[in-house]
Amino acid sequence: MKALTWQGKRKIEYSEVPDPVIKEPTDAIIEVTSTGICGSDLHLYEVMGPYLSPGDVLGHEPMGIVVETGTEVPNLKVGDRVVIPFGIACGSCFMCDRGLQSQCETTQVRDEGMGAALFGYTRLYGQVPGGQAEFLRVPQAQYGPIVVPAGPADDRFVFLSDVLPTAWQAVEYAGVPDGGTLAVIGLGPIGDMAARIGLHRGYRVIGIDLVPERLGRSQARGVETLTYSADVAEQVRQLTDGRGPDSVIDAVGMEAHGSPKAQAAHKLVGLMPGAVAEKMMETIGVDRLAAFYLAIELVRRGGTISLSGVYGGAADPLPMLTMFDKQIALRMGQGNVRRWVDDILPLLTDDDPLGVDGFATHRLPLSEGPAAYEMFQKKQDGAVKVLLTP
């Protein structure tokens, strides 16, 4: 089959790879009909190379049609239309029972000291072949796949794989009080959707970004938008009685602009041999923390910061004096997809209150994946969300 494979920093290939096969009785095989490029895929494209191997199949936002099931997958049948959550979870362990599927004890990558395995995402998370491919082997298929109805286009449901539940969790974790104000830093796919969810819940939403197309897209839905600048924190305070917003979502993560030292570290990691680069990421701060620092500056005293942007360094410095003094609550983590599906599905109706039908800015053939990665990474042509069709 054909798939997108990682071959090195900023080098994605449309390659021939072996067809997936059933390995465990709880496996299923799907024929992929749509698959997304995620902002966190760009971390693999740019800085997480030390934890990848040439030929790794990328992608963790697929949906498709079931073509084969193992003997212990009673919930699926051939022909079912399914969305595949990006995290692989069993549904029955201690963590899954508590709605923490991203920490599933059955699929935890213990050799690396990490949480549940993920599709298409580095050795740290199990190096499981991903969904930017014609076919996908789905472990733990007795629990993970979300069966969706036939009829609407894939765009109605494909974002259940990651964008919708990750954004939903970001808003949940933000703990916005009734009638409160939510600031969202970064209006890429997750930030954009989090802003939409905040508006749907009746919050006042302030969105911050650098890209005019992203700002305009959110503003058209009712978000108050500000262009990121040196004085943006003061602008936000002026909009919030001098206090700052009740809650802030950092939807940017490790590749924020405005962190020149960490940007240099990113570039240095990319030039190092794999083992040296791994040690560098594990022992020094390599994240660009500008977005997180801005969240700390923005949020009102006693407010909450919700981190949904991915960070990867193990020794990044934080302004603990300020965080303690402002009495900031902080929540973060990988999205627990299955925890939120029942809340989200009722909104995926023909009324489309979250605007999922028009959420993707680009839909391209899988064969154009390498160019799509470059376009998305460079924020060209108004790219906010790219879907690929095998």
Side-chain angles (χ1 to χ4, degrees), residues 107-109 112 114-118 121-129:
T107 73
Q108 275 180 18
V109 186
E112 301 290 344
M114 304 299 279
L118 310 179
Y121 212 82
T122 84
R123 189 183 73 245
L124 294 177
Y125 288 100
Q127 219 154 15
V128 180

Side-chain angles (χ1 to χ4, degrees), residues 23 56 72 81 169 197 260 269 294 311 324 338 340 354 373 380:
K23 294 182 179 179
D56 282 352
E72 296 180 14
R81 188 187 194 196
Q169 178 172 295
I197 292 166
V269 164
L294 177 59
Y311 287 96
F324 181 84
R338 289 304 302 262
W340 311 114
L354 299 179
Y373 264 85
Q380 296 172 334

Side-chain angles (χ1 to χ4, degrees), residues 252-296:
V252 179
M254 67 168 71
E255 292 196 285
H257 294 272
S259 304
K261 291 182 180 178
Q263 183 176 6
H266 269 203
K267 292 179 179 178
L268 187 59
V269 164
L271 297 173
M272 293 288 185
V276 176
E278 283 184 35
K279 193 66 176 175
M280 184 177 178
M281 293 191 73
E282 292 167 0
T283 57
I284 70 168
V286 299
D287 292 312
R288 307 186 200 180
L289 291 171
F292 190 16
Y293 289 157
L294 177 59
I296 293 167

Side-chain angles (χ1 to χ4, degrees), residues 19-42:
D19 289 349
V21 297
I22 298 286
K23 294 182 179 179
E24 302 290 340
T26 52
D27 288 350
I29 307 293
I30 71 161
E31 181 177 6
V32 178
T33 56
S34 292
T35 185
I37 300 178
C38 179
S40 55
D41 286 327
L42 297 183

Side-chain angles (χ1 to χ4, degrees), residues 34-74:
S34 292
T35 185
I37 300 178
C38 179
S40 55
D41 286 327
L42 297 183
H43 305 325
L44 312 184
Y45 189 69
E46 185 70 26
V47 74
M48 297 296 286
Y51 300 106
L52 290 158
S53 301
D56 282 352
V57 179
L58 302 175
H60 58 268
E61 297 186 344
M63 69 175 292
I65 305 298
V66 176
V67 296
E68 187 178 358
T69 63
T71 57
E72 296 180 14
V73 187

Side-chain angles (χ1 to χ4, degrees), residues 186-255:
L187 296 171
I190 303 301
D192 184 344
M193 186 57 73
R196 296 179 186 210
I197 292 166
L199 291 173
H200 178 72
R201 295 186 179 191
Y203 307 143
R204 180 189 185 192
V205 181
I206 300 170
I208 301 167
D209 204 291
L210 281 166
V211 182
E213 293 89 346
R214 297 184 178 194
L215 291 163
R217 178 175 154 109
S218 290
Q219 188 176 41
R221 295 195 66 90
V223 176
E224 299 175 55
T225 58
L226 295 171
T227 301
Y228 176 79
S229 64
D231 67 345
V232 71
E234 180 57 33
Q235 293 180 56
V236 172
R237 280 191 287 271
Q238 290 177 6
L239 294 173
T240 53
D241 299 323
R243 297 189 187 91
D246 302 291
S247 307
V248 179
I249 293 173
D250 170 2
V252 179
M254 67 168 71
E255 292 196 285

Side-chain angles (χ1 to χ4, degrees), residues 67-363:
V67 296
E68 187 178 358
T69 63
T71 57
E72 296 180 14
V73 187
N75 51 307
L76 298 180
K77 64 182 184 299
V78 172
D80 279 348
R81 188 187 194 196
V82 293
V83 179
I84 307 301
F86 73 92
I88 304 170
C90 71
S92 59
C93 69
F94 177 92
M95 291 295 178
C96 287
D97 283 347
R98 285 155 180 78
L100 294 169
Q101 291 88 346
S102 66
Q103 311 301 323
C104 174
E105 293 183 332
T106 301
T107 73
Q108 275 180 18
V109 186
R110 290 182 171 82
D111 288 348
E112 301 290 344
M114 304 299 279
L118 310 179
F119 287 103
Y121 212 82
T122 84
R123 189 183 73 245
L124 294 177
Y125 288 100
Q127 219 154 15
V128 180
Q132 289 169 4
E134 293 178 325
F135 294 90
L136 175 69
R137 170 182 166 256
V138 182
Q140 303 297 327
Q142 84 291 346
Y143 175 68
I146 304 159
V147 179
V148 297
D154 282 4
D155 297 54
R156 181 72 56 87
F157 302 112
V158 67
F159 303 114
L160 282 169
S161 60
D162 184 353
V163 173
L164 278 165
T166 297
W168 193 274
Q169 178 172 295
V171 177
E172 287 282 339
Y173 281 10
V176 188
D178 290 344
T181 300
L182 170 67
V184 180
I185 304 172
L187 296 171
I190 303 301
D192 184 344
M193 186 57 73
R196 296 179 186 210
I197 292 166
L199 291 173
H200 178 72
R201 295 186 179 191
Y203 307 143
R204 180 189 185 192
V205 181
I206 300 170
I208 301 167
D209 204 291
L210 281 166
V211 182
E213 293 89 346
R214 297 184 178 194
L215 291 163
R217 178 175 154 109
S218 290
Q219 188 176 41
R221 295 195 66 90
V223 176
E224 299 175 55
T225 58
L226 295 171
T227 301
Y228 176 79
S229 64
D231 67 345
V232 71
E234 180 57 33
Q235 293 180 56
V236 172
R237 280 191 287 271
Q238 290 177 6
L239 294 173
T240 53
D241 299 323
R243 297 189 187 91
D246 302 291
S247 307
V248 179
I249 293 173
D250 170 2
V252 179
M254 67 168 71
E255 292 196 285
H257 294 272
S259 304
K261 291 182 180 178
Q263 183 176 6
H266 269 203
K267 292 179 179 178
L268 187 59
V269 164
L271 297 173
M272 293 288 185
V276 176
E278 283 184 35
K279 193 66 176 175
M280 184 177 178
M281 293 191 73
E282 292 167 0
T283 57
I284 70 168
V286 299
D287 292 312
R288 307 186 200 180
L289 291 171
F292 190 16
Y293 289 157
L294 177 59
I296 293 167
E297 184 178 4
L298 285 183
V299 72
R300 68 161 169 80
R301 292 178 178 274
T304 301
I305 295 173
S306 172
L307 293 185
S308 64
V310 175
Y311 287 96
D316 292 309
L318 295 176
M320 294 303 297
L321 173 62
T322 300
M323 294 169 71
F324 181 84
D325 179 64
K326 291 187 72 173
Q327 201 167 330
I328 292 170
L330 177 63
R331 293 200 72 180
M332 67 187 85
Q334 300 278 9
N336 301 297
V337 174
R338 289 304 302 262
R339 178 174 182 175
W340 311 114
V341 166
D342 290 345
D343 294 318
I344 298 168
L345 270 173
L347 301 178
L348 304 184
T349 64
D350 288 342
D351 292 338
D352 193 18
L354 299 179
V356 294
D357 284 348
F359 190 72
T361 54
H362 295 74
R363 180 179 275 281

